[in-house]
Amino acid sequence: MMAKIPCPDCGVIGSFSLADEVYEGPYKCWKCRKLYKILIERGAVKLCEPIDEMEFERLKSLGDLKRKSRGGDEE
């Protein structure tokens, strides 16, 4: 599923590919490079708040850990 994310800063519409109906995590605008924490439910953006580089990296690391643990569960 693809979600459309309007950047609150520059207004450009970005696309985000989703594996699940719900996603919560980091997002970087492809045009202005601003960082956000987003929540998407069933293709609709429910939250898009600005974050700093440190929080972006923290959320990214958490997402990586979640993906690794899901992959490990399937083996």
Side-chain angles (χ1 to χ4, degrees):
M1 171 189 319
M2 292 295 285
K4 300 288 186 187
I5 303 169
C7 178
D9 194 61
C10 70
V12 74
I13 304 293
S15 296
F16 197 81
S17 179
L18 299 173
D20 299 318
E21 285 191 6
V22 176
Y23 171 81
E24 184 173 9
Y27 174 74
K28 182 186 287 188
C29 175
W30 66 269
K31 185 175 182 184
C32 71
R33 312 305 283 171
K34 298 284 177 146
L35 307 174
Y36 299 96
K37 176 181 178 182
I38 61 171
L39 171 62
I40 299 172
E41 294 177 345
R42 292 185 220 115
V45 178
K46 301 291 184 176
L47 170 78
C48 186
E49 62 184 20
I51 57 175
D52 61 23
E53 183 74 35
M54 207 161 117
E55 179 67 2
F56 183 84
E57 291 301 324
R58 187 186 76 78
L59 290 171
K60 190 174 165 187
S61 294
L62 285 174
D64 291 345
L65 287 173
K66 285 180 186 177
R67 281 188 293 281
K68 285 180 184 177
S69 69
R70 274 195 240 163
D73 292 343
E74 294 172 3
E75 294 178 347

